Amino acid sequence: MLANNESKTIPFRRRATMRHCVGSYDVPVALGEVFIYRMVHPERLTISLEYQNKTWVVGEVRGVCNSSPSEGALDWIRRWVNTDRKR
């Protein structure tokens, strides 16, 4: 399950919950250059999608305290981004 950044304040609240530096994306998020998503299953992750070369790509994917995601979660995220891009 993923949720996007409907509110510009979400990165700051998520920083407190997840204990990582997503708040450093405040300006790119405000400019619409980066979107921050929350994944809660199969593991809790914060995902950045970044606009590069006229397409959206997976930027960073981090768990609590900047922990690395599992390979399974990364595969799922990549498929989600690539499938959504084809629409």
Side-chain angles (χ1 to χ4, degrees), residues 43-64:
E43 58 192 281
R44 186 160 179 164
L45 299 170
T46 300
I47 304 158
S48 71
L49 293 185
E50 303 174 6
Y51 195 67
Q52 298 177 2
N53 300 318
K54 299 183 182 183
T55 191
W56 290 96
V57 297
V58 177
E60 288 193 71
V61 180
R62 295 287 179 229
V64 175

Side-chain angles (χ1 to χ4, degrees), residues 32-83:
E33 298 169 350
V34 172
F35 281 87
I36 305 296
Y37 287 82
R38 171 180 47 151
M39 180 183 216
V40 294
H41 184 77
E43 58 192 281
R44 186 160 179 164
L45 299 170
T46 300
I47 304 158
S48 71
L49 293 185
E50 303 174 6
Y51 195 67
Q52 298 177 2
N53 300 318
K54 299 183 182 183
T55 191
W56 290 96
V57 297
V58 177
E60 288 193 71
V61 180
R62 295 287 179 229
V64 175
C65 296
N66 283 325
S67 62
S68 297
S70 68
E71 280 301 316
L74 282 175
D75 288 341
W76 189 91
I77 293 164
R78 288 182 189 118
R79 283 188 311 233
W80 168 69
V81 170
N82 289 329
T83 299

Side-chain angles (χ1 to χ4, degrees), residues 10-20 38 44 64-65:
I10 286 174
F12 300 104
R13 291 189 305 226
R14 186 137 324 114
R15 177 174 50 185
T17 302
M18 298 289 285
R19 295 188 302 275
H20 56 45
R38 171 180 47 151
R44 186 160 179 164
V64 175
C65 296

